[in-house]
């Protein structure tokens, strides 16, 4: 935008300075035009134009591409895919510069304001609508519709991409909360494994009973928790939705949050009691540090300090490389068996100087050469319906990565409901929600009071 305005200003000044010369030049061009036409009819040769076109096609272009560095394994997967893209498009060089640490969104916004944003980047689903609405993303609607149909994508991915203003990013994949477990710990405790078939999902009571049996206390100190991860909003949202909770009054035009209900209270109180009453889980990072010495939750699962871990499906890439017997299953149910799905979209900056090349990269990032390697590695799950047929599953399933029974979970991912905050463009509203839920888990704020405060504060924010 800044460059467009600057160009207009320069052009205006140039016209003012050379007005008389330009007019003479235009007149001369007009006089010469008929002769040029005669010459073209006589020669009927357009080789110079074709040569010029070839030269444009071979022009070397460098695209800046940015994502987050969630793990070295993820960065390695991205870079491997980009090598394939550049081999297929020798005139395009992609410079991948992942942003380490936190505050990814604020760093992207800072680059946009400084006019130094990358041509293509990972865009959080939570940021996607706000970025599209304020004009920060390249409109891909026409190009997208030439290649895809929105119906090609599973419902959660389609809902995220398809805004009232058009399509501004292509879904990268899908990820969902699932239940990981350490088989050796279950065998030691004599507890049956959690099911991977959605039709056989545990009830909450069955899940809680197993978590209590799997918890180990020695000399008054907890050395193993039955489960960990339930205090994370991303994980317990799926349990709320399983109990029939709808977050918003209208997913397409959000005006109110709708979680101040008995169904929400039931789920949140059940999770709270599992930790503070039954002591089969913990919501305190310092308590987890005492058990596992500050290790990541995935390491604690492998080491047996946790029997079950509720975490995102992306953790399979890391867990599959660890030396222990890993199992994975569906989450417990309240009223129905379900999980939610969301993932970042790949988007292009509205001010990119290379929109055509950016589109080529975006299209590649949603194709088999890039997508399937990341699914086979356990990092992602597929975002298009074609990958959930028997033939499609065979393209990505790897028994060395995906635990026994994993293919039974395919419909679980395909039919996932959209993650509630992925379709909300008000980031302040989510901050309020997280703040108050933290007060519930760690500051003894009763759930009824918590939900009333959330309803009042969030709806006030949404009304602005």
């Amino acid at each position: 935008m800044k460059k467009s305005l600057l160009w207009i200003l320069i052009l205006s000044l140039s016209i003012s300075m050379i007005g008389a010369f330009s007019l003479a030049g235009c007149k001369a061009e007009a006089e010469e035009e008929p002769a040029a036409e005669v010459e073209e009819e006589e020669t009927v040769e357009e080789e110079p134009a074709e040569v010029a076109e070839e030269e444009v096609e071979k022009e070397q272009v460098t695209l800046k591409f940015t994502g987050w560095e969630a793990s070295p394994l993820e960065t390695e997967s991205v870079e491997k895919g980009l090598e394939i893209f550049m081999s297929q498009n020798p005139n395009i060089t992609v410079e991948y510069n992942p942003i380490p640490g936190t505050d990814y969104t604020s760093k992207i916004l800072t680059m946009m304001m400084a006019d130094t944003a990358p041509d293509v980047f990972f865009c959080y689903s939570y940021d996607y609508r706000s970025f599209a609405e304020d004009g920060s993303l390249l409109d891909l609607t026409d190009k997208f519709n030439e290649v895809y149909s929105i119906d090609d994508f599973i419902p959660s991915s389609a809902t995220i991409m398809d805004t009232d203003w058009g399509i501004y990013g292509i879904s990268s994949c899908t990820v969902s909360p699932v239940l990981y477990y350490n088989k050796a710990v279950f065998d030691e405790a004599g507890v049956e494994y959690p099911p991977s078939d959605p039709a056989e999902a545990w009830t909450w009571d069955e899940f809680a009973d197993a978590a209590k049996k799997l918890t180990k206390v020695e000399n008054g100190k907890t050395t193993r928790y039955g489960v960990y991860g339930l205090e994370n909003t991303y994980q317990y949202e799926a349990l709320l939705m399983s109990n029939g909770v709808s977050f918003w009054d209208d997913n397409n035009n959000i005006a109110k949050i709708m979680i101040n209900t008995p169904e929400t209270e039931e789920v949140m109180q059940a999770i709270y009691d599992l930790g503070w009453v039954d002591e089969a889980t913990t919501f305190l990072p310092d308590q987890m540090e005492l058990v596992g010495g500050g290790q990541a939750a995935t390491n604690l699962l492998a080491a047996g300090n946790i029997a079950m871990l509720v975490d995102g499906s992306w953790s399979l890439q890391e867990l599959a490389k660890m030396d222990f017997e890993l199992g994975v299953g569906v989450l417990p149910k309240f009223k129905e068996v379900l999980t939610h799905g969301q993932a970042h979209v790949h988007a292009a900056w509205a001010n990119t100087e290379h929109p055509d090349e950016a589109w080529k990269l975006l299209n590649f990032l949603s194709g088999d050469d890039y997508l399937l390697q990341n699914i086979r590695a356990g990092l992602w799950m597929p975002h298009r319906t074609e990958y959930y047929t028997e033939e499609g599953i065979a393209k990505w399933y790897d028994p060395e990565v995906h635990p026994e029974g994993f293919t039974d979970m395919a419909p679980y991912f395909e039919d996932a409901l959209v993650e509630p905050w992925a379709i909300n463009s008000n980031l302040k509203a989510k901050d309020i929600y997280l703040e108050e839920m933290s007060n519930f888990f760690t500051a003894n704020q009763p759930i009824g009071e918590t939900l009333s405060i959330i309803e009042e504060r969030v709806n006030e924010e949404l009304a602005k």
Side-chain angles (χ1 to χ4, degrees):
M1 196 175 298
K2 292 177 182 176
K3 291 181 178 177
S4 298
L5 292 173
L6 180 58
W7 174 246
I8 292 169
L9 179 59
I10 292 171
L11 185 60
S12 299
L13 290 172
S14 300
I15 292 171
S16 300
M17 293 171 63
I18 61 172
F21 177 82
S22 297
L23 288 172
C26 289
K27 184 178 179 182
E29 288 175 9
E31 290 172 350
E32 291 171 3
E33 223 171 274
E37 289 175 1
V38 171
E39 183 180 351
E40 184 177 339
E41 288 174 5
E42 291 174 353
T43 60
V44 197
E45 291 183 4
E46 297 183 0
E47 287 187 14
E50 291 176 2
V51 171
E53 189 176 350
E54 287 181 13
E55 289 175 355
V56 170
E57 289 176 355
K58 293 179 180 179
E59 179 186 356
Q60 294 298 308
V61 169
T62 297
L63 293 178
K64 293 181 179 178
F65 180 33
T66 293
W68 45 76
E69 193 164 46
S71 74
L73 289 174
E74 183 174 42
T75 299
E76 182 182 330
S77 294
V78 174
E79 291 175 339
K80 189 183 298 182
L82 293 178
E83 288 176 7
I84 298 172
F85 173 78
M86 288 186 284
S87 70
Q88 295 173 354
N89 298 272
N91 67 309
I92 304 175
T93 299
V94 183
E95 294 180 352
Y96 183 58
N97 297 299
I99 296 176
T102 56
D103 301 324
Y104 177 84
T105 297
S106 62
K107 290 171 183 175
I108 289 290
L109 285 169
T110 299
M111 286 190 284
M112 286 177 177
M113 292 177 66
D115 213 19
T116 59
D119 299 284
V120 175
F121 61 97
F122 291 11
C123 181
Y124 279 124
S125 55
Y126 312 111
D127 297 332
Y128 174 59
R129 277 170 166 70
S130 59
F131 280 11
E133 194 171 9
D134 69 15
S136 297
L137 304 182
L138 186 67
D139 188 344
L140 306 175
T141 309
D142 292 341
K143 289 184 178 296
F144 179 91
N145 289 333
E146 288 175 5
V147 178
Y148 305 100
S149 164
I150 198 70
D151 295 332
D152 294 338
F153 294 80
I154 63 174
S156 57
S157 294
T159 302
I160 290 170
M161 285 188 293
D162 200 9
T163 74
D164 289 343
W165 323 286
I167 293 174
Y168 293 81
I170 305 182
S171 172
S172 60
C173 59
T174 192
V175 289
S176 300
V178 296
L179 182 65
Y180 298 106
Y181 59 95
N182 187 318
K183 288 185 174 182
V185 171
F186 273 74
D187 293 342
E188 176 194 318
V191 177
E192 185 179 350
Y193 299 152
S196 56
D197 184 347
E200 299 175 2
W202 277 347
T203 64
W204 173 263
D205 289 340
E206 290 172 324
F207 169 78
D209 184 58
K212 286 182 278 187
K213 290 177 179 177
L214 292 160
T215 299
K216 180 184 287 188
V217 179
E218 298 175 313
N219 299 320
K221 176 185 175 183
T222 301
T223 56
R224 180 176 71 216
Y225 283 106
V227 64
Y228 185 62
L230 290 170
E231 81 292 349
N232 187 306
T233 182
Y234 186 80
Q235 324 302 356
Y236 67 69
E237 280 171 347
L239 299 179
L240 292 175
M241 298 166 82
S242 165
N243 207 28
V245 175
S246 297
F247 268 65
W248 312 113
D249 58 330
D250 182 348
N251 283 350
N252 296 316
N253 187 23
I254 294 170
K256 292 182 180 180
I257 193 168
M258 304 287 288
I259 63 167
N260 189 7
T261 66
E263 290 78 12
T264 303
E265 285 198 35
E266 179 186 7
V267 173
M268 300 310 296
Q269 193 63 51
I271 296 172
Y272 183 92
D273 289 347
L274 190 63
W276 291 114
V277 177
D278 301 321
E279 298 182 341
T281 187
T282 182
F283 314 122
L284 304 175
D286 56 348
Q287 185 65 34
M288 201 69 248
E289 188 168 337
L290 289 175
V291 173
Q295 296 185 75
T298 47
N299 290 333
L300 296 177
L301 180 68
N305 298 116
I306 302 169
M308 297 182 285
L309 174 64
V310 183
D311 201 0
S313 53
W314 60 81
S315 289
L316 180 57
Q317 182 184 33
E318 183 179 359
L319 288 166
K321 293 180 179 295
M322 295 182 178
D323 187 20
F324 78 109
E325 288 188 89
L326 172 67
V328 63
V330 296
L331 298 176
K333 66 179 180 179
F334 279 80
K335 290 179 179 175
E336 58 181 322
V337 186
L338 59 81
T339 190
H340 59 65
Q342 68 82 40
H344 69 280
V345 301
H346 292 122
W349 185 34
N351 289 352
T352 177
E353 295 180 356
H354 309 292
D356 292 336
E357 290 79 9
W359 166 252
K360 278 190 175 182
L361 178 56
L362 291 172
N363 195 27
F364 171 82
L365 294 173
S366 191
D368 283 5
D369 286 341
Y370 181 73
L371 183 73
L372 292 180
Q373 62 155 345
N374 290 319
I375 301 173
R376 291 189 197 105
L379 178 63
W380 294 343
M381 284 299 293
H383 58 340
R384 294 209 297 270
T385 56
E386 65 180 282
Y387 297 113
Y388 289 93
T389 64
E390 184 176 348
E391 182 181 5
I393 291 172
K395 290 182 178 180
W396 55 259
Y397 174 69
D398 183 348
E400 297 298 318
V401 172
H402 301 95
E404 182 182 358
F406 191 87
T407 56
D408 293 337
M409 297 173 64
Y412 190 62
F413 296 104
E414 183 180 13
D415 299 333
L417 300 180
V418 66
E419 197 271 329
W421 290 100
I423 52 175
N424 165 66
S425 61
N426 190 316
L427 302 181
K428 177 63 175 174
K430 185 176 184 182
D431 289 341
I432 293 169
Y433 174 82
L434 294 175
E435 176 189 340
E436 295 301 335
M437 281 300 193
S438 177
N439 289 337
F440 163 67
F441 279 116
T442 62
N444 297 317
Q445 181 172 277
I447 186 59
E449 180 183 345
T450 298
L451 296 177
S452 294
I453 294 172
I454 288 173
E455 182 178 57
E456 180 180 355
R457 292 185 64 195
V458 168
N459 287 341
E460 181 181 340
E461 178 61 33
L462 292 174
K464 289 181 181 178

